């Protein structure tokens, strides 16, 4: 959810990978080894023709997440919910429902900060605290991570390597967080639909429905209405849906090395 707006994410990809890892307490030998196998953000799923992934960020929300879950249940679709740790603690029953209905929980940090502005120790705390909260409440340990604003800073990717988390980006961003209208959101998703696409939507807001973070809005009713419009259309068109954890990363570019070039920039999400 918004705390500031920029059109492109500031991604800083391990230009000095060994140094970044050393700052997290690794030995020089292990840092060099791990720097060669840092995961890079995945923006597609490799699940076969006409298969996509739906993802929802910033929840759970006691108001909007249940509505999203109802729609997904009605259509027999599984999705991934990238949740914030503070909301996990506020709304544990919603977290448990997500899992009980067969969906996947991903780590979206504790309080949705801009990670590239934080010291490495604080980045680790944001991710680790959320891992612990999700595991304690749901009984499931997340294997997926999405950085707020799509800002996968070096320190965050290093923590992902430590915790066995796959960083997941997206390929379709309807900017639903800006409330452009449910029809606009639906049309943008339909226009971006393609084999392997990962759709970014938002079912919650950091700080919860009753106390959203400053500037974050919090009304996700347009997202819910858009989902009820585009999901049956995609199904009618022959698309099926999966979750990124059910499939290995795409072979090409799944890992980031010290010699790697960063992937193309994508529109900055929330």
């Amino acid at each position: 959810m918004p705390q500031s707006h920029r059109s492109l994410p500031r991604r800083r990809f391990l230009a000095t990978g060994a140094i970044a890892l050393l700052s997290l307490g690794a030995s020089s030998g292990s840092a060099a080894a791990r720097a060669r196998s840092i995961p890079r953000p995945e923006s597609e799923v490799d699940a076969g023709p006409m298969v996509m992934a739906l993802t929802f960020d910033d929840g759970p929300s006691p108001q909007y997440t249940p509505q999203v879950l109802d729609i997904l249940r009605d259509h027999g679709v599984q999705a991934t919910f990238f949740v914030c740790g503070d909301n996990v603690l506020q709304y544990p029953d919603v977290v448990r429902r997500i899992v009980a209905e067969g969906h996947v929980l991903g780590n979206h940090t504790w309080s949705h900060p801009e990670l590239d502005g934080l010291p490495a120790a604080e980045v680790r705390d944001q991710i680790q605290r959320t891992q612990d909260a999700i595991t304690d409440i749901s009984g499931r340990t997340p294997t997926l991570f999405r950085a707020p604003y799509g800002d996968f800073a070096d320190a965050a990717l290093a923590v992902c390597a430590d915790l066995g988390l796959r960083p997941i980006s997206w390929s379709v961003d309807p900017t639903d967080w800006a409330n452009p209208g449910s029809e606009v959101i639906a049309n943008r998703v339909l226009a971006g639909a393609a084999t392997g696409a990962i759709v970014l939507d938002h079912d919650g807001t950091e700080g919860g429905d009753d106390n959203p973070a400053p500037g974050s809005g919090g009304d996700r009713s347009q997202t819910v209405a858009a989902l009820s419009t585009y999901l049956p259309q995609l199904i009618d068109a022959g698309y099926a849906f999966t979750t990124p954890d059910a499939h290995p990363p795409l072979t090409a570019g799944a890992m980031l090395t010290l010699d790697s070039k960063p992937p193309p920039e994508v529109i900055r999400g929330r």
Side-chain angles (χ1 to χ4, degrees):
M1 86 214 44
Q3 292 175 339
S4 65
H5 175 74
R6 285 169 292 176
S7 60
L8 295 176
R10 295 178 301 178
R11 290 183 175 173
R12 300 176 298 119
F13 283 93
L14 292 180
T16 55
I19 295 175
L21 288 167
L22 280 167
S23 72
L24 295 175
S27 67
S28 59
S30 63
R34 287 158 55 199
R36 291 192 294 270
S37 60
I38 293 296
R40 70 184 296 167
E42 303 168 36
S43 58
E44 298 177 87
V45 289
D46 188 12
M50 299 289 286
V51 180
M52 299 170 56
L54 298 181
T55 67
F56 298 88
D57 283 13
D58 298 357
S61 155
Q63 181 174 359
Y64 300 110
T65 305
Q67 296 178 55
V68 169
L69 291 171
D70 288 346
I71 296 169
L72 296 174
R73 181 193 59 206
D74 290 346
H75 294 284
V77 168
Q78 287 185 312
T80 304
F81 291 81
F82 288 96
V83 295
C84 294
D86 56 357
N87 286 342
V88 168
L89 288 190
Q90 288 187 70
Y91 313 117
D93 290 344
V94 184
V95 173
R96 295 185 187 105
R97 180 181 171 186
I98 291 171
V99 172
E101 296 189 4
H103 304 288
V104 173
L105 292 168
N107 188 321
H108 197 44
T109 72
W110 187 263
S111 59
H112 205 279
E114 298 195 39
L115 295 179
D116 64 355
L118 297 181
E122 290 186 30
V123 172
R124 176 175 291 276
D125 182 66
Q126 282 277 334
I127 299 173
Q128 184 67 69
R129 287 176 68 197
T130 304
Q131 279 294 95
D132 294 343
I134 295 172
T135 302
D136 290 346
I137 288 171
S138 73
R140 306 285 179 86
T141 299
T143 61
L144 306 177
F145 171 76
R146 175 173 284 160
Y149 312 102
D151 191 1
F152 292 93
D154 292 353
L157 293 175
V159 175
C160 286
D162 282 349
L163 301 181
L165 288 165
R166 289 168 58 181
I168 305 297
S169 185
W170 59 84
S171 59
V172 181
D173 179 5
T175 61
D176 63 314
W177 50 266
N179 288 327
S182 60
E183 183 177 356
V184 172
I185 296 168
N187 287 339
R188 287 172 177 172
V189 173
L190 293 170
T195 292
I198 299 177
V199 178
L200 168 67
D201 273 325
H202 296 77
D203 65 316
T205 178
E206 190 276 314
D209 291 355
D210 297 329
N211 186 33
S216 68
D219 182 354
R220 306 305 185 200
S221 59
Q222 292 185 11
T223 298
V224 174
L227 178 65
S228 67
T229 297
Y230 72 70
L231 185 54
Q233 292 187 49
L234 290 173
I235 293 171
D236 288 345
Y239 282 100
F241 298 88
T242 190
T243 56
D245 65 312
H247 309 277
L250 287 167
T251 302
M255 307 302 285
L256 183 69
T257 70
L258 293 179
D259 296 324
S260 295
K261 296 179 180 179
E265 299 287 2
V266 297
I267 297 298
R268 182 178 174 83
R270 294 293 178 176

